[in-house]
Amino acid sequence: MIPVPVVVTVLGGWCAVYLADTLLKSSNSLKASYEDWLLTYGLSVSPFHLRWQTALFNRQFYNWGRWKPKFLYLWFSVGMVFGIVAMFGSVILLGKTLLQTLTQMLTEAPKAQNDRMLQVVVSVPSSGFCLRTVPGVNLPISQLTYFFSAILISGVIHEVGHGVAAIREQVRFNGFGIFIFIVYPGAFVDLFTTHLQLISPVQQLRIFCAGVWHNFVLGVASFMVLFLLPAILFPFYYTGVGALVTEVAEDSPANGPRGLFVGDLVTNLQDCPVYNVEDWNSCLGDISEKSQVGYCVSAATLQQLSFPARVYRRLDGTVECCSNNSLTDICFSYSNKLDSHLYACLPARKVIEASKVCRTNMDCHKDFVPSFCVTPSLENQTRLIRVKHPPHIDMLYVGHPMHLQYTVSLSSFVPRQNFLSIDLPVVIETFCKYLISLSGALAVINAVPCFALDGQWILNSFLEATLSSLIVEKQNRELVGFLILLAGSALLAANVALGLWMVTAR
């Protein structure tokens, strides 16, 4: 859910902007100077939409569009093929997504939504030939900076593709601009429509597919940076030695005098080794899915450490045997040859430290010393987890493993020097992931044969290039295109509507 103060701030800000714009335009003394100011700086204001257009970059665009014509011809020809394939592929993808969403809606226990899962929910129509698309996303508020930066860069690269391809095909380039729709930033290019209509359908395809192609290339480039990041940062950071703690939330159960601190290096969770963040997540997942592990304790130690206590059952059916209100004692269960349901209240740290992890008593038979495998008797889904972060004393965590995962941020990169930032690799990783997701989302959504998206122009030019000899009448070709666009728009709208419903209702 979006916090109410954020909604109020956004709506209030836009109301103030629109009110000021209306008052200035209605003022007899200020109207002329205000409109001249807007025209000079290429600004335009409308409800929830602010646009800036300029010709400052026209020379740079023309330099790019005339650079190595043969290479650009090959580059945008490959992009044209990719765009056509992406148009058909996006329809298949949206169709499968729609079926999966409908199936999930009909199930009694739908899969939990990941708070970082991207869902495209908003598209902004264009007027004339200004190509622009804005995706929406369900993401943590703390990462809004990554989101808006990545979406702006993805939009700019998208429009640069259209602009350079247009100049390569001798279409007049009028200008480049940036806009804000509600809170979403985006970019657009303004092309001379008459020139665009005079060139061949194949040339049009190179222009229309260029945005989708550039978003795909940006996503691939970001993936390569993410994949090669350990090698890129090798002179400054090393990996494979553990997961470095970069942040611990204030309300985290790992926050405390014997908890985790920024700069700690986690090397083990229970008996699961941790070499990077992926191992940390994998180990926590395994701990959550499997039953609680036990610890080998000798019979003599068990008798020495145990406290006399009354055994009683919790509401969920599990057993509690510690009634001394101690924060350091935990009820453990074990079995011997005569009884399989014995319980003892023991000091957790003394039991766990220097103890071997076990599942049954057979795992503890060593040197003919009578030993038992004692297992913490905890509430369902609750686990006792031993976290090793040398040289500090091990942290003993009692709670749901996912709470530990969500409230502790880590990095696989350990600085070689103390002056190096521990956050820099995390920033690069996170930003690359957002670029991959958002640039990919722009490529997929823009390729859909839908009204007001690139897919509309790609489809129309594709039909003109392929069906001119089969369907002679242009009006009939336009009818075919209209019906396909109608179906594509309905498919996209259904995905958006059901996606929003799944996010809000579930």
Side-chain angles (χ1 to χ4, degrees), residues 234-298:
F234 180 77
F236 311 102
Y237 299 84
Y238 56 90
T239 58
V241 294
L244 184 70
V245 178
T246 59
E247 183 182 3
V248 180
E250 290 185 4
D251 58 346
S252 173
N255 192 6
R258 290 193 175 181
L260 297 176
F261 296 90
V262 174
D264 287 354
L265 191 65
V266 178
T267 59
N268 283 82
L269 292 173
Q270 302 286 46
D271 58 341
C272 183
V274 175
Y275 300 107
N276 49 46
V277 176
E278 289 72 22
D279 290 341
W280 162 274
N281 294 328
S282 178
C283 290
L284 285 177
D286 290 341
I287 292 172
S288 178
E289 293 174 2
K290 296 178 180 178
S291 59
Q292 173 71 55
V293 298
Y295 303 89
C296 293
V297 178
S298 66

Side-chain angles (χ1 to χ4, degrees), residues 457-500:
W457 314 109
I458 294 173
L459 176 68
N460 290 339
S461 299
F462 178 75
L463 294 179
E464 286 295 320
T466 57
L467 297 184
S468 297
S469 58
L470 297 176
I471 304 176
V472 179
E473 293 291 334
K474 184 175 182 179
Q475 185 176 0
N476 293 336
R477 295 196 299 272
E478 291 177 348
L479 178 61
V480 172
F482 176 79
L483 294 176
I484 296 175
L485 289 173
L486 195 62
S489 301
L491 179 63
L492 179 60
N495 272 276
V496 169
L498 292 180
L500 282 171

Side-chain angles (χ1 to χ4, degrees), residues 94 97-98 101-102 105 119-122 489-506:
L94 286 179
T97 303
L98 183 61
T101 305
L102 289 173
M105 288 174 60
Q119 292 196 6
V120 178
V121 298
V122 179
S489 301
L491 179 63
L492 179 60
N495 272 276
V496 169
L498 292 180
L500 282 171
W501 186 86
M502 292 296 291
V503 170
T504 56
R506 296 299 182 92

Side-chain angles (χ1 to χ4, degrees), residues 23 25 60 137 153-154 161 170 193 208 264 283 287 300 315 322 333:
L23 292 175
K25 287 182 178 178
Q60 185 60 56
V137 68
I153 291 174
S154 299
Q170 306 299 316
T193 307
F208 298 143
D264 287 354
C283 290
I287 292 172
L315 294 177
C322 289
S333 66

Side-chain angles (χ1 to χ4, degrees), residues 25-341:
K25 287 182 178 178
S26 60
S27 172
N28 294 329
S29 58
L30 299 175
K31 179 180 179 180
S33 58
Y34 175 65
E35 290 181 345
D36 288 342
W37 180 79
L38 291 177
L39 185 63
T40 301
Y41 290 98
L43 296 170
S44 63
V45 181
S46 57
F48 302 106
H49 189 269
L50 179 65
R51 191 178 80 159
W52 171 68
Q53 181 174 338
T54 181
L56 291 174
F57 307 107
N58 285 19
R59 182 180 294 275
Q60 185 60 56
F61 269 90
Y62 275 101
N63 290 336
W64 288 336
R66 292 166 181 169
W67 177 77
K68 295 188 177 181
K70 291 184 179 180
F71 171 79
L72 290 180
Y73 172 80
L74 179 61
W75 176 260
F76 289 117
S77 295
V78 174
M80 176 185 67
V81 175
F82 173 82
I84 295 171
V85 173
M87 179 178 64
F88 292 104
S90 64
V91 173
I92 297 173
L93 179 62
L94 286 179
K96 288 185 175 181
T97 303
L98 183 61
L99 291 177
Q100 291 175 356
T101 305
L102 289 173
T103 303
Q104 187 174 344
M105 288 174 60
L106 297 175
T107 58
E108 293 183 0
K111 295 179 181 179
Q113 294 287 331
N114 189 311
D115 65 347
R116 294 171 185 249
M117 183 176 63
L118 298 175
Q119 292 196 6
V120 178
V121 298
V122 179
S123 62
V124 183
S126 58
S127 59
F129 191 80
C130 295
L131 306 169
R132 63 193 84 162
T133 301
V134 181
V137 68
N138 181 26
L139 80 165
I141 294 178
S142 60
Q143 297 190 6
L144 286 177
T145 302
Y146 293 110
F147 171 69
F148 288 124
S149 300
I151 200 172
L152 179 60
I153 291 174
S154 299
V156 169
I157 295 299
H158 181 102
E159 299 305 328
V160 167
H162 286 307
V164 174
I167 294 171
R168 167 64 183 77
E169 301 300 335
Q170 306 299 316
V171 174
R172 194 174 81 187
F173 182 86
N174 294 327
F176 168 83
I178 293 175
F179 69 91
I180 297 177
F181 177 74
I182 306 179
V183 294
Y184 297 103
F188 64 92
V189 291
D190 187 10
L191 307 178
F192 190 49
T193 307
T194 303
H195 283 184
L196 200 59
Q197 294 171 345
L198 292 176
I199 60 178
S200 69
V202 174
Q203 290 177 298
Q204 292 176 358
L205 277 172
R206 292 195 191 100
I207 298 173
F208 298 143
C209 294
V212 171
W213 170 238
H214 274 214
N215 279 135
F216 172 75
V217 172
L218 176 61
V220 171
S222 301
F223 177 81
M224 292 302 297
V225 171
L226 186 63
F227 180 75
L228 297 174
L229 194 58
I232 296 172
L233 296 179
F234 180 77
F236 311 102
Y237 299 84
Y238 56 90
T239 58
V241 294
L244 184 70
V245 178
T246 59
E247 183 182 3
V248 180
E250 290 185 4
D251 58 346
S252 173
N255 192 6
R258 290 193 175 181
L260 297 176
F261 296 90
V262 174
D264 287 354
L265 191 65
V266 178
T267 59
N268 283 82
L269 292 173
Q270 302 286 46
D271 58 341
C272 183
V274 175
Y275 300 107
N276 49 46
V277 176
E278 289 72 22
D279 290 341
W280 162 274
N281 294 328
S282 178
C283 290
L284 285 177
D286 290 341
I287 292 172
S288 178
E289 293 174 2
K290 296 178 180 178
S291 59
Q292 173 71 55
V293 298
Y295 303 89
C296 293
V297 178
S298 66
T301 304
L302 183 63
Q303 185 177 6
Q304 178 185 358
L305 295 178
S306 62
F307 299 99
R310 181 174 60 89
V311 175
Y312 62 93
R313 291 191 177 274
R314 303 186 184 96
L315 294 177
D316 62 355
T318 57
V319 174
E320 176 61 82
C321 63
C322 289
S323 56
N324 55 3
N325 297 321
S326 172
L327 297 177
T328 60
D329 300 336
I330 291 179
C331 181
F332 287 84
S333 66
Y334 64 100
S335 62
N336 57 21
K337 295 181 180 180
L338 300 177
D339 196 340
S340 59
H341 296 289

